[in-house]
Amino acid sequence: PGIWFFDPAFMATAACDSAITYLDGEAGILRYRGYPIEELAERSTYLEVAYLLLHGELPTAEQFEQWKHDITYHTFIHENVRKRFLEGFHYDAHPMGMLVSAVAALSTFYLDAKDIFNLESRNKQIIRLIAKMPTLAAAAHRFSVGMPFVYPDNSLDYCANFLSMMWKVAEPRYEAHPTLVRALDILFMLHADHEQNCSTTAMRVVGSSHADPYSACAAACAALYGPRHGGANEAVIRMLTQIGSMENVPAFVESVKQGHGRLQGFGHRVYKNYDPRAKIIKRTADEVFAVTGKNPLLDIALKLEEIALADEYFVSRKLYPNVDFYSGLIYQAMGFPLEMFPVLFAIPRTSGWLAHWVEMLDQDSKIARPRQIYSGAEKRDYVPMDQRS
Ligand code: CMC
């Protein structure tokens, strides 16, 4: 039946041809559609980056106004999604579990989503998904802490609106500190795409069956829910809390070297150099802490980085801080609970997932269907139950 390559976890398999994100892990380079991540983080905004990922080019002023308008006016979710669906969860439901389910449920509200080769319908679903993710995310958080739902305030920009839905407690409106809004925008840009990671692969695999984009996106969210993917920044905070003080850092690093656990937020399957996103995040962290006050775990993190980067164990294995090492410290300083960390990853990654979904459909790709190496029993005869031992 032909030649197959055994490549569990696809470590040596390019499963598609993509023009969206360029990643050179040895050199520590990340570009979206050719634009270096450093330049985008400095000069762009999340919504512009989302447009770039999806359309391949930066928008003109007119295109951007239209894009922003469309996203802004699709931020509301159907009342039944909130009242019947989200409020039906157990009182202590994890917000990421709620998000995974709510995204899947959206496919039942937009039946036109099944028409994936109708470009008008396709674009409408893309806009709906990017627009509604912050609303669903904030609704899941408010429910899980017993706070009333806050409707979108469409006079605000994307990130400011999300922060308002998260934190608003009284009328007339909630206005987040502009430094925090910008920091969130930068974090969203850094998380928008990362080529064929686990969740994007899930989006492509499910999308290859021509499922609607909400169902495919729910699969991508589910992949992100796993601690090996979207949960690493939460693990960093737990690790730093466990270390407890700067004096304990050397002993902790030694225990990692002896094989007791891993340094969370260090190492990457593709980056064998400093993750370029981690460098940007480190700068952003200083700006955020100037407003929120320093996260007390920062000094432990800095000490840990200093010791690890000078240690032969980490140097020889090319283990550097990754995007998650500092992002959790920022989110925590901004007031987000740990359970919201994967949700904060899912919001911006939605644009990347959708860009890959569109690219895959436009390439008229086949349904994803890998083969296997069978290692089970040889042919044998059925044994009736009363004769089994
Ligand atoms: N701390 C200590 N040792 C490590 C670490 C670490 N964080 N990461 C890898 N190693 C060691 C590992 O023990 C192995 O050593 P040896 O050759 O002696 O057996 C060597 O480095 C290679 O490890 P690997 O598991 O083969 O590497 P991988 O490419 O399969 O794993 C990784 C990549 C990200 C899963 C891993 O580095 C890790 O577990 N890091 C900590 C968790 C983390 O920060 N994850 C976030 C990843 S970035 C976000 C995302 O893209 O979703």
Side-chain angles (χ1 to χ4, degrees):
I3 300 172
W4 300 334
F5 298 96
F6 183 55
D7 183 18
F10 314 126
M11 288 179 64
T13 298
C16 65
D17 161 347
S18 179
I20 300 170
T21 286
Y22 174 77
L23 210 174
D24 179 340
E26 290 295 329
I29 294 173
L30 173 63
R31 297 183 199 132
Y32 296 158
R33 300 284 189 182
Y35 295 101
I37 192 67
E38 294 80 4
E39 229 176 295
L40 292 170
E42 176 84 28
R43 304 175 61 181
S44 187
T45 60
Y46 169 65
L47 278 193
E48 189 181 51
V49 161
Y51 184 100
L52 172 69
L53 289 169
L54 278 149
H55 295 90
E57 297 297 336
L58 289 167
T60 62
E62 200 182 323
Q63 287 166 334
F64 190 51
E65 276 317 302
Q66 184 65 49
W67 174 245
K68 264 201 315 194
H69 175 277
D70 291 345
I71 301 280
T72 304
Y73 287 96
H74 282 88
T75 50
F76 277 68
I77 50 176
H78 192 288
E79 281 292 275
N80 279 358
V81 174
R82 176 175 71 84
K83 285 191 179 152
R84 305 275 171 127
F85 190 77
L86 289 176
E87 293 186 1
F89 278 96
H90 199 252
Y91 70 93
D92 59 355
H94 193 291
M96 189 63 180
M98 293 174 76
L99 185 76
V100 171
S101 323
V103 171
L106 288 185
S107 77
T108 66
F109 286 81
Y110 305 112
L111 296 178
D112 55 335
K114 302 233 170 288
D115 205 359
I116 55 172
F117 291 105
N118 173 334
L119 293 191
E120 200 184 319
S121 161
R122 195 193 283 180
N123 285 333
K124 198 184 247 181
Q125 315 316 326
I126 287 171
I127 286 164
R128 281 177 172 150
L129 263 163
I130 294 174
K132 292 180 201 309
M133 285 301 267
T135 316
L136 291 174
H141 164 72
R142 305 279 296 203
F143 176 79
S144 67
V145 293
M147 299 276 286
F149 176 71
V150 173
Y151 286 92
D153 176 348
N154 288 341
S155 67
L156 297 170
D157 282 347
Y158 194 79
C159 287
N161 199 358
F162 173 53
L163 292 175
S164 156
M165 290 186 282
M166 282 292 300
W167 310 128
K168 182 172 161 182
V169 283
E171 295 301 335
R173 68 198 313 235
Y174 177 87
E175 279 182 69
H177 194 290
T179 302
L180 303 187
V181 176
R182 179 62 191 158
L184 193 61
D185 209 34
I186 292 173
L187 284 161
F188 278 7
M189 282 188 265
L190 301 183
H191 284 90
D193 195 46
H194 212 228
E195 52 122 292
Q196 309 308 319
N197 54 86
C198 180
S199 56
T200 302
T201 301
M203 181 87 190
R204 279 185 176 260
V205 169
V206 175
S208 78
S209 75
H210 291 177
D212 68 82
Y214 301 100
S215 303
C217 204
C221 284
L224 195 61
Y225 198 178
R228 282 170 153 189
H229 190 10
N233 51 6
E234 177 179 339
V236 171
I237 298 294
R238 294 196 194 283
M239 172 188 74
L240 296 174
T241 308
Q242 182 203 331
I243 295 173
S245 77
M246 281 165 72
E247 296 74 61
N248 295 338
V249 172
F252 183 81
V253 172
E254 277 311 310
S255 74
V256 168
K257 286 164 61 182
Q258 301 307 317
H260 302 297
R262 290 193 163 192
L263 215 51
Q264 297 302 325
F266 260 71
H268 197 277
R269 171 63 59 77
V270 183
Y271 290 119
K272 301 303 169 196
N273 203 325
Y274 212 103
D275 182 336
R277 300 168 299 173
K279 275 190 202 151
I280 300 166
I281 286 186
K282 216 172 155 182
R283 282 200 302 274
T284 309
D286 291 335
E287 288 157 22
V288 168
F289 297 155
V291 175
T292 60
K294 194 168 81 177
N295 187 326
L297 298 176
L298 177 68
D299 289 336
I300 302 175
L302 289 170
K303 189 79 192 159
L304 196 57
E305 180 182 340
E306 183 194 312
I307 291 180
L309 291 183
D311 191 298
E312 177 54 22
Y313 175 96
F314 298 93
V315 173
S316 63
R317 288 169 179 76
K318 299 187 176 171
L319 299 170
Y320 294 86
N322 59 48
V323 67
D324 294 313
F325 194 64
Y326 288 103
S327 65
L329 291 172
I330 302 183
Y331 288 142
Q332 195 181 42
M334 288 171 81
F336 290 104
L338 297 192
E339 299 73 44
M340 280 298 281
F341 288 8
V343 177
L344 291 163
F345 195 158
I347 297 172
R349 186 55 62 87
T350 301
S351 58
W353 292 331
L354 289 166
H356 284 272
W357 176 70
V358 167
E359 184 176 70
M360 182 205 59
L361 292 179
D362 286 348
Q363 288 170 343
D364 198 19
S365 67
K366 287 183 181 293
I367 188 167
R369 203 322 184 171
R371 298 308 308 262
Q372 62 167 14
I373 307 287
Y374 178 69
S375 57
E378 292 293 318
K379 178 179 177 296
R380 48 189 174 159
D381 293 329
Y382 181 80
V383 181
M385 201 175 282
D386 60 2
Q387 292 170 27
R388 291 176 210 160
S389 51

